[in-house]
Amino acid sequence: MITVLAGGVGAARLLRALSLVVDPTELAAVVNVGDDLVLHGLTICPDLDTVTYTLAGMNDEARGWGLTDETWRVMDELAALGGEDWFRLGDRDLATHLYRTQRLGEGATKTEVTAEIAQRRGVRATVLPASDDPVATTLETLEGPMAFQEYFVRRRHEVTVTAITVTGLETARPSAAALHAIESATRLVVAPSNPLLSIDPILALPGVREAVAARGDAIAVSPIVGGAALKGPADRLMRDLGLEPSAAGVADHYGALVATWVIDEIDAGLAGRIGATGHEVRVTTTVMDDPGRARALAETVLA
Ligand code: FO1
């Protein structure tokens, strides 16, 4: 089994590429749930849905989240009523949240519901929420504390962040399936997801950081290319929090948790520095902007 620690879009694209190179039934994604929210009474799991929709070939590639061929009639009616419409839930996407919320209400776990949705969408890889318990990534900002999607979507991540916390960790546990997938994988991959917002909340679950460290063989793809995040606020966040926004800065951040780094050709000049801290470094094209390049990256990760 190849296990990938995953956030949203970057992870979903890597998983899709990996599924072209290995049998998808040998792939597991342990997915961040710190972005999850309850809105309109519905439980919404953006990273789980991005991974599932992408592996099902149903994702909207240009928008980066949600489903293809989406319509927005419910949101338009909600706006007409003066309801909360800043977090856009498409008509097709809403079915996922309705189904998930009902099943959770019946007592199913997030792991069970995620498996049901993935299976019915034809996904053959195993998609695992990192935890079945409520955890929520919260941002301390110059304007006060903000819930994750408040910061990310409502404020378009245009506020200065001073700290990131994950609430719920006193009682939350990684799911047994997620921990097993990390411990028993033949290869553990850290996806090119936001290290602070997507991967750290997975590592913060009790025992996960220790399980990754005990293996000592994780391979990570840098989410920072040429000093910038391909998508999202990783570079700005790193700068705000006093980290160097570069592939070397991400390598420093994960430290010994990662044994092997895959960095972009643009960052070849950083290979010596990352190598000097005891890492193996592979330099290749990491931007998955066409299927051929994505496949080549997947092959490098598995080499
Ligand atoms: N991102 C946006 O920028 N605007 C939205 O209105 C929005 C809605 C949305 C609905 C469902 C879903 O699964 C994801 C959605 N996202 C939206 C993406 C999401 O907020 C972030 O990309 C992730 O949480 C970060 O990984």
Side-chain angles (χ1 to χ4, degrees), residues 7-9 32 35 44-47 49-50 53 64-66 85-90 93 97 148-149 152-153 198 231:
V9 182
N32 171 42
D35 297 15
I44 303 161
C45 306
D47 285 349
D49 290 345
T50 297
Y53 292 164
W65 49 270
D85 67 341
W86 58 274
F87 195 77
R88 310 282 297 159
L89 298 171
D93 188 31
H97 314 310
F148 182 86
Q149 299 295 350
F152 200 92
V153 171
S198 301
K231 200 169 183 302

Side-chain angles (χ1 to χ4, degrees), residues 26 33 292:
E26 289 170 20
V33 287

Side-chain angles (χ1 to χ4, degrees), residues 63-87:
R63 201 184 319 114
W65 49 270
L67 286 161
T68 186
D69 298 324
E70 191 55 279
T71 54
W72 305 93
R73 297 192 65 174
V74 173
M75 279 293 116
D76 291 346
E77 295 302 329
L78 192 60
L81 292 172
E84 278 202 81
D85 67 341
W86 58 274
F87 195 77

